[in-house]
């Protein structure tokens, strides 16, 4: 991250669908001028399926969507560096 930021908050286990908890959290942190990454990691049952079945996240049902969140985070980090 840029040198003026010593940290950024990652919002994870963010609800999916119509629930706005993740977006509300993001807005509140920005309002308080707390550095926050734009990419949220949403909560999907795919994490549980992958762990229970011993498979990579992207191979679980809806896992590709969940994995895309992590890829988006990695892209954001790379661009900031």
């Amino acid at each position: 991250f840029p040198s003026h930021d010593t940290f950024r908050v990652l919002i994870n286990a963010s609800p999916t669908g119509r629930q706005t908890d993740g977006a509300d959290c993001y807005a509140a942190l920005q309002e308080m001028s707390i550095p926050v990454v734009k990419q949220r990691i949403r909560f999907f049952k795919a994490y549980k399926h992958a762990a229970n079945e011993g498979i990579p996240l992207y191979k679980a049902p809806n896992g590709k969507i969940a994995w895309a969140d992590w890829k988006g985070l990695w892209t954001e980090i790379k661009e900031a560096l």
Side-chain angles (χ1 to χ4, degrees):
F1 295 116
S3 59
H4 64 278
D5 288 342
T6 57
F7 71 94
R8 289 196 188 173
V9 174
L10 170 64
I11 300 170
N12 64 352
S14 181
T16 59
R18 291 178 262 165
Q19 297 179 27
T20 62
D21 297 1
D24 294 345
C25 180
Y26 182 84
L29 290 168
Q30 281 196 315
E31 198 172 292
M32 293 184 289
S33 298
I34 295 175
V36 59
V37 294
K38 293 176 186 165
Q39 179 66 52
R40 290 179 284 144
I41 304 301
R42 295 173 289 176
F43 178 79
F44 288 99
K45 289 182 181 178
Y47 291 103
K48 182 178 177 180
H49 289 292
N52 288 341
E53 296 174 26
I55 59 174
L57 177 61
Y58 58 84
K59 290 187 177 181
N62 287 328
K64 289 183 181 180
I65 298 169
W67 186 244
D69 287 351
W70 289 101
K71 288 170 55 176
L73 175 63
W74 175 238
T75 299
E76 186 174 342
I77 291 170
K78 286 191 308 186
E79 289 173 357
L81 298 175

